[in-house]
Amino acid sequence: MHKLWSKLYLTKLKPVLNDFSAPYAIIKGPALSQILYNDPNIREYNDLDILICRDSIGKMKEALKKNCFHVQNYSQEREIFCELYSHQLPTYTDHTGNLIYDINFDVTWGEYDRQRIPVSDFLADTVSINLFGFDVKTLSYENTFIQLALHIYRDMNSIYLLATRKSINKTAFNDVYQLLVRHHDKLTPQKLYEACQKYDIIPYAFYVLFHTGLIFNDEILDGYISAFKSREGTELLNYYGLCDKERKPWNCDISCRLSSTDIYSLIAQDLTSSDIRKIEINKAMFRGIPNDTPGT
């Protein structure tokens, strides 16, 4: 993304953050690029993500409205659905409609069936960084990894996402790789394990580390993979689905999944009528496409 365009995202957002007056963190996008490369322009991104606490949603909506932001394709049904069953609000945009902002209030997902991570913990452990001349908050190194790992696990296991895209996004694993390689001294396997153990996400972290190791054959990763290996994490490698009740075994190996350009074809025969209905509902809520056919 061009530097001037990237700076515009922060220029528009800064008054919102000033009016928000509650804990927040800029995640992914330019903040992650700054952490990984000491340059906010290296990573490609199409929107700006902000993490807030669920109990701050009202304050954020007020700050966004005051500064002329609005929900894309607004409907009350979508707003309620997102707050109840998702990890983020409906997508917001500025008055021009050109800048996209995602307001996240959870680092897990709607179907998460373990104890949820208190976002307040994450936002109590932020660091200040400078992006394009603006001082903003982002997550600590440990929490950056946790947010990344959970985001990637969701992307690789959501039935809705698997059914509505052509391939698995391997670029995200590069973020994990760069974070661990460039900040190995701050994120030792032991220190990272303790941070993930605190939130009971060791299996998900192992899942992501294992796949990162497949894509990037680097001995630095071996120490992390070995430290995080567990029975539960190993079992997750052969399944997809975001919770026990919807989890299904893959009918092809990992290399096939990573190289496939038609992910839907790999799972279509396993989907139940309930799964297909869920995909249709999610399309209608997140993309505004009612009664669409999965995989198109």
Side-chain angles (χ1 to χ4, degrees):
M1 181 175 288
H2 193 277
K3 183 175 181 179
L4 292 178
W5 192 250
S6 299
K7 185 175 181 178
L8 186 57
Y9 264 99
L10 270 297
T11 302
K12 294 282 188 177
L13 182 65
K14 194 59 177 175
V16 174
L17 296 179
N18 289 340
D19 291 331
F20 179 48
S21 67
Y24 77 91
I26 305 295
I27 58 174
K28 300 185 285 186
L32 182 56
S33 187
Q34 180 69 27
I35 288 174
L36 297 183
Y37 307 106
N38 200 32
D39 184 338
N41 291 297
I42 300 298
R43 292 182 75 256
E44 292 290 329
Y45 56 95
N46 299 310
D47 53 32
L48 193 68
D49 284 80
I50 304 101
L51 179 65
I52 65 172
C53 293
R54 181 180 282 274
D55 60 11
S56 297
I57 288 176
K59 288 183 179 180
M60 176 56 78
K61 287 181 179 180
E62 290 176 5
L64 288 164
K65 182 178 181 180
K66 179 180 178 181
N67 289 279
C68 301
F69 285 72
H70 63 275
V71 175
Q72 279 191 328
N73 304 316
Y74 175 80
S75 76
Q76 187 177 39
E77 183 182 19
R78 289 183 68 212
E79 185 171 46
I80 293 172
F81 179 89
C82 287
E83 289 191 32
L84 289 178
Y85 303 110
S86 177
H87 62 287
Q88 64 184 52
L89 300 179
T91 297
Y92 273 81
T93 185
D94 72 326
H95 73 282
T96 68
N98 295 321
L99 303 178
I100 307 301
Y101 297 82
D102 284 337
I103 313 300
N104 301 262
F105 50 81
D106 200 340
V107 293
T108 57
W109 45 87
E111 302 88 343
Y112 198 69
D113 51 11
R114 301 168 92 96
Q115 184 172 345
R116 291 195 175 274
I117 295 174
V119 172
S120 57
D121 281 11
F122 269 40
L123 299 183
D125 188 25
T126 55
V127 295
S128 295
I129 59 173
N130 189 278
L131 297 178
F132 311 109
F134 299 100
D135 291 325
V136 295
K137 300 288 188 180
T138 193
L139 300 177
S140 65
Y141 288 113
E142 293 89 347
N143 290 341
T144 291
F145 172 84
I146 291 172
Q147 186 277 321
L148 267 178
L150 292 173
H151 177 74
I152 293 171
Y153 182 84
R154 178 181 68 88
D155 276 6
M156 289 191 67
N157 285 274
S158 163
I159 290 176
Y160 160 64
L161 293 175
L162 292 173
T164 54
R165 65 184 180 194
K166 298 299 181 183
S167 62
I168 288 173
N169 177 19
K170 290 185 282 190
T171 304
F173 292 102
N174 182 59
D175 291 335
V176 173
Y177 176 62
Q178 296 296 334
L179 179 66
L180 297 181
V181 170
R182 291 173 180 268
H183 299 291
H184 181 65
D185 57 331
K186 303 180 186 71
L187 287 174
T188 63
Q190 181 61 32
K191 186 173 183 180
L192 192 59
Y193 185 92
E194 290 172 357
C196 292
Q197 187 179 45
K198 174 182 176 182
Y199 297 117
D200 189 27
I201 64 157
I202 297 299
Y204 303 129
F206 171 74
Y207 179 99
V208 171
L209 290 167
F210 182 87
H211 284 86
T212 305
L214 285 180
I215 297 169
F216 302 96
N217 186 21
D218 191 316
E219 62 181 16
I220 288 180
L221 296 173
D222 294 342
Y224 293 95
I225 295 170
S226 176
F228 278 77
K229 187 173 183 179
S230 66
R231 179 188 57 79
E232 186 179 359
T234 302
E235 289 177 350
L236 287 178
L237 299 176
N238 298 315
Y239 288 82
Y240 65 94
L242 289 175
C243 58
D244 287 341
K245 67 179 182 180
E246 71 174 28
R247 201 160 277 137
K248 299 174 176 62
W250 281 105
N251 55 27
C252 61
D253 63 21
I254 291 175
S255 61
C256 174
R257 285 172 252 155
L258 290 175
S259 62
S260 176
T261 56
D262 186 5
I263 294 295
Y264 178 66
S265 68
L266 302 181
I267 67 172
Q269 66 187 32
D270 300 324
L271 298 179
T272 65
S273 58
S274 177
D275 294 329
I276 293 173
R277 179 58 180 157
K278 176 181 178 180
I279 292 166
E280 292 175 346
I281 291 172
N282 276 272
K283 280 187 175 184
M285 292 298 103
F286 293 115
R287 293 167 53 180
I289 307 175
N291 301 319
D292 202 5
T293 301
T296 59

